């Protein structure tokens, strides 16, 4: 298969510091790859290498079928980049920003204007086209930033932590914008340190840590590997623990840790309801009850354990 | 499209972006001119009466060309700052991921800084005229003098770009003022080096800013309290040579730094 993004054995070090330690990636055309990892995992380094901004020490990197080292210029005509910081000019208006980038892509003045208007409409910014991004919310700025990277309707789009620092509403807006792009067939590599974001937007997730892929799977597979959601009940008294465990056993394999009883579940609301109702029927009061997702830290611990064991 | 036309179109776009900034934020010019203006007022009106530059020369006529030169000298800070902001905001990454002329970002900034500097000079010259400075050198000499001032500014653009690409962030670029201040002030800008201690005077004389300041004083027909040293006697020659040398060294350094951002 011809992958839109293909990397094999990418290595990159900054002085003594190893940033990428043999990273492999393969992204099929028209799909979204979520590159998930904690700070310092090597996400930005990967994006910068694939977007022709950074040289690497060894390995292979191809984007849109072209070698990023020897065909950098052609690669640049086929990619869009939205970096970690938002590269929009705060003094120019939203529309002027897009026209400026259009001109730098040499699509011609009138085409640049026309494309700017199309993109403003696509990203829901028509109403604020004449305002400077200074006055925008975080989500709006990021959408403008996204629009700027979409001027040539690139085959491949790189998004480096597009929602970091945004409020929940801004995140939703950006997610919708990304979905509208993928609906048009753009191949996207998106980095994030939010599991739910990777889950929501990607067809496939690669989890990286210390410059290496420690998981490469569908979102469902990754969630399975890290345990997914758990129903958790904390007993008031040690004497209640056995009774609680037998209730929890109805929705999943119970794990008992002192006063804490938990089990992996798939149906979040259903299993919580079942457990709560049964506890009530048995007249068992509890300290705490709820559905928990593993934090990213726990997920990484789990995945790293798998690798090292 | 030929490479040249491709690059020219990129310059035009970047310069246009800069000019829009200036038009939308005229306060930028006021802000940047604030410090030289305050300095002029301080020197001319507060210390001026106590300043005797020798030969009975008028201090205002002596200090104004110095102020022009100093403003050009401090200008590299603006360049460094705007390049650092460009880098920090991810503009440079975006530009580099686009199929644009590789040097257009660096040189486009330079061109717009030069336009900016020309505007600065116009404003400063008007203020100088208002407080009694005059050029007696005739039109051609006066224009040549302003040309020399811009020539110095042009050379310093490359130092500014180089520094701006080198520093980590804009705060670091802002801290450079500690460096720029002595560079601007240990010169013949406000005091003749002959009145300084010998070692300091020697540094001040050889400061490129001094050569430009003295050369434009000559061209404006303003008092030039020159010592007898070679460097002071050849101010005109050096006002042309210094910026050429600086450009020769720092233009390639700036371009190389830009190209090596990917390492
Ligand atoms: N310019 C640089 N110089 C030295 N080390 C760097 C540089 N950029 C990144 N690193 C290091 O490389 C590793 C990966 O960084 P990065 O790709 O930015 O991670 P992420 O984007 O996942 O947070 C980190 O340990 C970071 O400190
Ligand atoms: Mg990063």
């Amino acid at each position: 298969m011809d992958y839109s993004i293909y990397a094999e054995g990418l290595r990159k070090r900054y002085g003594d510091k190893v940033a990428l330690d043999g990273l492999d990636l393969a992204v099929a055309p028209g799909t979204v790859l979520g590159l998930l990892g904690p700070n310092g995992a090597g996400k930005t380094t990967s994006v910068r290498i694939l977007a022709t901004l950074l040289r690497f020490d060894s390995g292979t990197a191809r984007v849109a079928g072209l070698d990023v080292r020897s065909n950098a210029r052609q690669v640049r005509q086929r990619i869009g980049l939205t970096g970690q910081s938002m590269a929009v000019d705060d003094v120019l208006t939203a529309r002027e920003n897009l026209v400026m980038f259009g001109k730098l892509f040499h699509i011609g003045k009138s085409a640049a204007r026309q494309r700017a208007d199309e993109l403003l409409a696509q990203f829901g910014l028509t109403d604020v086209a004449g305002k400077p991004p200074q006055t925008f919310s975080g989500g709006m700025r990021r959408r403008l930033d996204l629009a700027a990277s979409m001027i040539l309707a690139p085959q491949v789009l790189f998004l480096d932590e597009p929602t970091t620092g945004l409020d929940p509403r801004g995140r939703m807006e950006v997610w919708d914008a990304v979905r509208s792009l993928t609906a048009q067939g753009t191949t996207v590599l998106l980095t994030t340190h939010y599991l739910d974001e990777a889950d929501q937007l990607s067809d496939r997730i690669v989890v990286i840590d210390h410059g290496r892929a420690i998981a490469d799977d569908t979102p469902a597979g990754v969630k399975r590997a890290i345990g997914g959601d758990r129903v958790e009940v904390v007993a008031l008294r040690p004497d209640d623990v056995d009774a609680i465990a037998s209730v929890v056993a109805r929705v999943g394999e119970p794990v008992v840790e002192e006063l804490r009883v938990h089990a992996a579940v798939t149906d979040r609301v259903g299993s919580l309801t079942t457990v709560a109702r049964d506890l009530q029927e048995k007249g068992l009061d509890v300290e705490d009850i709820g559905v928990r997702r593993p934090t990213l830290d726990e997920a990484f611990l789990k995945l790293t354990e798998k690798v090292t064991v | 499209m030929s490479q040249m036309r491709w690059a020219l179109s990129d310059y035009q776009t970047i310069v246009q972006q800069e000019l829009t900034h200036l038009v939308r934020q005229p306060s930028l010019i006021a802000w940047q001119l604030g410090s030289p203006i305050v300095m002029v007022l301080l020197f001319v009106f507060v210390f001026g009466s106590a300043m005797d530059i020798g030969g009975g020369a008028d201090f205002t006529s002596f200090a104004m060309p110095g102020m022009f030169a100093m403003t050009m000298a401090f200008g590299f800070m603006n360049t460094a700052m705007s390049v650092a902001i460009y880098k920090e905001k991810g503009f440079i990454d975006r530009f580099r991921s686009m199929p644009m002329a590789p040097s257009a970002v660096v040189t486009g900034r330079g061109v717009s800084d030069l336009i900016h500097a020309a505007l600065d000079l116009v404003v400063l010259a008007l203020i100088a005229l208002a407080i009694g400075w005059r050029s007696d050198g005739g039109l051609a000499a006066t224009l040549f003098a302003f040309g020399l001032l811009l020539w110095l500014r042009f050379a310093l653009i490359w130092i500014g770009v180089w520094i701006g690409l080198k520093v980590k962030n804009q705060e670091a670029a802002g801290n450079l003022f500690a460096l720029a201040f002595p560079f601007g002030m240990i010169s013949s800008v406000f005091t003749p080096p002959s009145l300084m201690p010998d070692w300091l005077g020697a540094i001040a004389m050889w400061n490129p800013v001094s050569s430009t300041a003295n050369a434009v004083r000559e061209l404006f027909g303003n008092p030039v309290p020159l010592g007898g040293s070679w460097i002071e006697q050849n101010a005109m020659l050096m006002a042309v040579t210094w910026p050429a040398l600086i450009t020769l060294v720092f233009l390639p350094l700036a371009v190389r730094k830009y190209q090596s951002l990917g390492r």
Side-chain angles (χ1 to χ4, degrees), chain A residues 100-203:
Chain A
M100 173 182 77
F101 286 117
K103 285 189 198 158
L104 291 175
F105 273 123
H106 298 270
I107 61 176
K109 236 181 234 175
S110 59
R113 291 200 193 103
Q114 192 190 336
R115 185 71 182 132
D117 289 332
E118 281 168 25
L119 288 166
L120 287 166
Q122 183 183 346
F123 290 94
L125 294 167
T126 306
D127 291 346
V128 291
K131 295 201 176 117
Q134 235 162 8
T135 60
F136 289 6
S137 71
M140 285 159 77
R141 282 172 64 96
R142 185 52 102 187
R143 280 184 284 151
L144 178 62
D145 192 29
L146 265 176
S149 58
M150 289 306 297
I151 288 173
L152 288 189
Q155 298 171 26
V156 178
L157 179 65
F158 297 99
L159 300 174
D160 195 7
E161 298 197 18
T163 67
T164 299
L166 296 188
D167 58 17
R169 189 191 154 145
R171 291 184 74 201
M172 293 300 157
E173 290 173 6
V174 172
W175 285 4
D176 285 343
V178 173
R179 287 194 187 104
S180 86
L181 293 178
T182 54
Q184 295 175 7
T186 312
T187 306
V188 177
L189 189 153
L190 161 128
T191 81
T192 179
H193 56 234
Y194 302 116
L195 180 58
D196 59 339
E197 181 160 296
D199 182 19
Q200 286 286 326
L201 296 177
S202 339
D203 299 300

Side-chain angles (χ1 to χ4, degrees), chain A:
Chain A
M1 165 148 50
D2 276 346
Y3 291 108
S4 285
I5 303 173
Y6 180 81
E8 193 183 328
L10 280 190
R11 276 172 213 283
K12 169 74 188 176
R13 52 198 311 165
Y14 299 101
D16 287 346
K17 172 102 208 154
V18 176
L20 291 186
D21 189 15
L23 182 70
D24 301 331
L25 295 172
V27 190
T31 67
V32 182
L33 178 80
L35 194 58
L36 177 67
N39 276 330
K43 302 184 295 295
T44 299
T45 304
S46 318
V47 165
R48 287 172 55 85
I49 285 175
L50 293 167
T52 75
L53 297 180
L54 191 63
R55 285 186 212 166
F56 48 102
D57 303 331
S58 63
T60 311
R62 277 202 301 275
V63 170
L66 297 158
D67 188 281
V68 300
R69 248 199 280 233
S70 51
N71 291 311
R73 203 180 164 95
Q74 287 93 318
V75 169
R76 284 176 195 155
Q77 266 153 357
R78 293 168 173 79
I79 62 171
L81 169 69
T82 300
Q84 227 168 320
S85 45
M86 300 187 209
V88 293
D89 188 311
D90 275 317
V91 178
L92 303 184
T93 66
R95 189 166 184 273
E96 285 169 342
N97 261 285
L98 296 180
V99 173
M100 173 182 77
F101 286 117
K103 285 189 198 158
L104 291 175
F105 273 123
H106 298 270
I107 61 176
K109 236 181 234 175
S110 59
R113 291 200 193 103
Q114 192 190 336
R115 185 71 182 132
D117 289 332
E118 281 168 25
L119 288 166
L120 287 166
Q122 183 183 346
F123 290 94
L125 294 167
T126 306
D127 291 346
V128 291
K131 295 201 176 117
Q134 235 162 8
T135 60
F136 289 6
S137 71
M140 285 159 77
R141 282 172 64 96
R142 185 52 102 187
R143 280 184 284 151
L144 178 62
D145 192 29
L146 265 176
S149 58
M150 289 306 297
I151 288 173
L152 288 189
Q155 298 171 26
V156 178
L157 179 65
F158 297 99
L159 300 174
D160 195 7
E161 298 197 18
T163 67
T164 299
L166 296 188
D167 58 17
R169 189 191 154 145
R171 291 184 74 201
M172 293 300 157
E173 290 173 6
V174 172
W175 285 4
D176 285 343
V178 173
R179 287 194 187 104
S180 86
L181 293 178
T182 54
Q184 295 175 7
T186 312
T187 306
V188 177
L189 189 153
L190 161 128
T191 81
T192 179
H193 56 234
Y194 302 116
L195 180 58
D196 59 339
E197 181 160 296
D199 182 19
Q200 286 286 326
L201 296 177
S202 339
D203 299 300
R204 213 171 167 83
I205 297 179
V206 169
V207 183
I208 66 167
D209 195 23
H210 295 106
R212 279 197 304 148
I214 57 173
D216 180 352
D217 209 335
T218 59
V222 169
K223 281 194 294 184
R224 214 177 308 120
I226 61 185
D229 299 320
R230 305 187 78 83
V231 160
E232 182 180 89
V233 182
V234 181
L236 273 173
R237 291 174 299 269
D239 298 347
D240 297 343
V241 169
D242 286 345
I244 291 174
S246 66
V247 170
V248 171
R250 294 197 48 194
V251 297
E253 183 67 30
V255 178
V256 179
E257 288 166 339
E258 297 183 25
L259 291 179
R260 203 174 295 267
V261 182
H262 53 90
V265 298
T266 44
D267 175 6
R268 290 148 50 85
V269 174
S271 37
L272 184 62
T273 313
T274 307
V275 171
R277 194 191 52 225
D278 288 6
L279 288 172
Q280 193 188 28
E281 278 171 7
K282 295 198 169 174
L284 281 166
D285 197 9
V286 296
E287 171 76 33
D288 189 20
I289 178 168
V291 180
R292 283 187 60 236
R293 306 203 132 159
T295 64
L296 198 57
D297 288 341
E298 290 168 334
F300 280 110
L301 207 63
K302 211 122 186 185
L303 290 169
T304 357
E305 273 167 7
K306 280 212 176 106
V307 171
T308 45
V309 167

Side-chain angles (χ1 to χ4, degrees), chain B residues 47-105:
Chain B
F47 309 131
S49 50
M51 288 271 192
D52 183 4
I53 54 166
D58 166 42
F59 185 70
T60 304
S61 306
F62 170 77
M64 288 308 114
M67 179 189 66
F68 298 159
M70 187 188 70
T71 307
M72 295 301 104
F74 284 167
F76 84 90
M77 293 275 306
N78 303 334
T79 308
M81 191 66 120
S82 45
V83 170
I85 292 174
Y86 247 45
K87 194 170 76 164
E88 201 175 346
K89 286 190 73 178
F91 265 99
I92 291 200
D93 271 359
R94 169 158 286 161
F95 287 149
R96 287 178 65 232
S97 76
M98 297 170 79
M100 62 187 284
S103 57
V105 181

